[in-house]
Amino acid sequence: MEQTKLKELFDSLTLDEKIGQLVQLNGNFFNSNEKVATGPVAKIGIDKEKVYQTGSILNTMGAKELKDIQDRYLEKNDKKIPMLFMADIINGFKTIFPIPLGLGCTFNPELVKKTAEVAANEAAVSGIHITFSPMVDMVRDARWGRVMESYGEDNYLNCAYAKAMVEGYQGNGDQHSTILSCVKHFAGYGAPIAGRDYNTVELGERSLRQDYLPSYKAAVDAGCELVMTSFNTIDGIPVTANDWLLRDVLRKEWGFDGVVISDHSAVKELVPHGIARDEKEAAKLALEAGCDIDMMTATYSNHLASLVENGQLDIK
């Protein structure tokens, strides 16, 4: 779409339609069986009318199913803005490769890049636009349950594989054979206390910058288009509401101009983290910190409009 047409379309959107672009749900919300669709709608607490303003969905596979969902969505979406389809592609799409930890043992970034190229081609022709990969969290505690998704404990190799995967997925940008990449989990997710997933991460800034941040930066420098926030806290602040990490480091220092997306329900989880008193405050903190897309909660959908209308959030 031409830039002028895109600007016209943007200017025509209502506040609710703009907010809808910041929400990600899964394919169950768009099931052709309306009775089935009421299940996830009721569970998440989202207005059924707002479902058809959603900007993207995750982890629904198959070209036919995705096309059916897109067709039904566009029938009910006033501005006819197609959804983006995103998915976890960990070690191949149809062709299965060794797990990332196994690929890390090859010490061969070019080979790893080739696996991403194959996965991207298969995913693209199946209707997927974006993958939540590469995961470049450095891990030095084997107790952590997601070690197998990492490339290991070496900073240099992590950076090399981050670059290789991004270049493999995104290639020359041909929409029919490549997909966009989303590096995760920013930041320090692989260093939880006692190896317990979601646990607090206690790192001094020197260790964070010297050992843990370089792999994410390597992905950003390679041109990845999205960054996913991690569940953990850094210096006591959950990353999804951490404006130092998301704005000062990622945006200002590194020059990242792509999209920041939360991990699954991470915006809503600012409440049990104790940093937000309720979902409304969680929405405010996350958006102000620079989290663009709320994955799989109704926190943005239900609260951003009132925050703007009450002057608590700047429409900009």
Side-chain angles (χ1 to χ4, degrees):
M1 180 179 283
E2 294 177 7
Q3 195 72 16
T4 54
K5 294 292 184 182
L6 189 61
K7 181 66 165 58
E8 288 174 12
L9 175 60
F10 178 80
D11 290 340
S12 75
L13 298 179
T14 65
L15 179 58
D16 280 341
E17 287 170 334
K18 290 176 181 176
I19 292 169
Q21 293 296 309
L22 310 183
V23 177
Q24 181 170 97
L25 303 174
N26 65 32
N28 293 332
F29 288 80
F30 306 93
N31 195 295
S32 57
N33 184 336
E34 291 299 322
K35 292 182 180 178
V36 175
T38 59
V41 167
K43 184 177 181 180
I44 204 171
I46 192 171
D47 187 320
K48 197 171 181 180
E49 297 304 313
K50 292 182 179 180
V51 168
Y52 285 91
Q53 296 170 350
T54 302
S56 60
I57 70 171
L58 77 156
N59 288 349
T60 299
M61 307 292 185
K64 184 180 185 304
E65 183 171 1
L66 291 178
K67 185 178 185 305
D68 288 344
I69 288 173
Q70 190 78 281
D71 289 344
R72 286 196 300 275
Y73 175 83
L74 291 175
E75 284 177 9
K76 298 186 179 184
N77 181 271
D78 290 340
K79 300 298 168 41
K80 309 302 178 189
I81 302 173
M83 280 192 294
L84 292 172
F85 298 138
M86 309 189 193
D88 284 296
I89 301 172
I90 307 301
N91 56 316
F93 189 73
K94 292 294 184 182
T95 303
I96 303 303
F97 299 104
I99 60 173
L101 193 61
L103 292 175
C105 295
T106 66
F107 298 94
N108 190 336
E110 281 302 312
L111 178 63
V112 171
K113 179 179 177 179
K114 184 63 179 177
T115 69
E117 290 174 354
V118 172
N121 185 274
E122 294 174 349
V125 298
S126 301
I128 300 297
H129 303 116
I130 297 163
T131 175
F132 301 125
S133 178
M135 188 190 106
V136 296
D137 303 315
M138 191 174 69
V139 188
R140 290 178 172 169
D141 189 336
R143 295 174 295 180
W144 189 49
R146 298 185 69 169
V147 167
M148 74 287 294
E149 290 182 62
S150 77
Y151 296 109
E153 61 184 3
D154 185 86
N155 187 4
Y156 176 80
L157 281 179
N158 230 7
C159 291
Y161 291 137
K163 179 177 184 290
M165 291 296 284
V166 170
E167 291 178 348
Y169 285 132
Q170 298 189 173
N172 61 5
D174 178 5
Q175 63 179 321
H176 301 295
S177 61
T178 64
I179 56 179
L180 302 184
S181 60
C182 173
V183 67
K184 63 182 187 183
H185 307 79
F186 185 75
Y189 188 49
I193 293 175
R196 296 189 175 189
D197 204 16
Y198 289 30
N199 207 355
T200 298
V201 170
E202 293 290 353
L203 290 172
E205 188 172 348
R206 179 185 293 272
S207 295
L208 179 67
R209 287 185 178 275
Q210 178 173 289
D211 297 329
Y212 289 86
L213 291 186
S215 56
Y216 308 109
K217 187 175 187 299
V220 169
D221 290 344
C224 76
E225 297 287 353
L226 292 90
V227 170
M228 182 185 291
T229 66
S230 55
F231 287 116
N232 56 276
T233 62
I234 292 287
D235 196 23
I237 303 173
V239 173
T240 308
N242 195 317
D243 57 356
W244 175 73
L245 270 172
L246 298 183
R247 292 201 183 277
D248 292 347
V249 176
L250 182 62
R251 299 287 190 190
K252 294 177 183 176
E253 289 185 26
W254 296 0
F256 179 71
D257 62 357
V259 173
V260 174
I261 184 170
S262 79
D263 205 338
H264 196 296
S265 305
V267 174
K268 187 175 181 177
E269 288 182 9
L270 295 177
V271 179
H273 264 298
I275 196 171
R277 67 174 62 87
D278 52 29
E279 289 185 31
K280 186 173 185 177
E281 186 174 24
K284 181 176 185 292
L285 290 173
L287 197 69
E288 284 181 333
C291 183
D292 300 312
I293 298 178
D294 174 16
M295 182 195 289
M296 281 300 293
T297 85
T299 309
Y300 278 10
S301 179
N302 290 344
H303 299 292
L304 287 186
S306 63
L307 286 167
V308 170
E309 290 162 357
N310 294 336
Q312 295 174 271
L313 271 180
D314 192 321
I315 185 62
K316 292 180 182 179

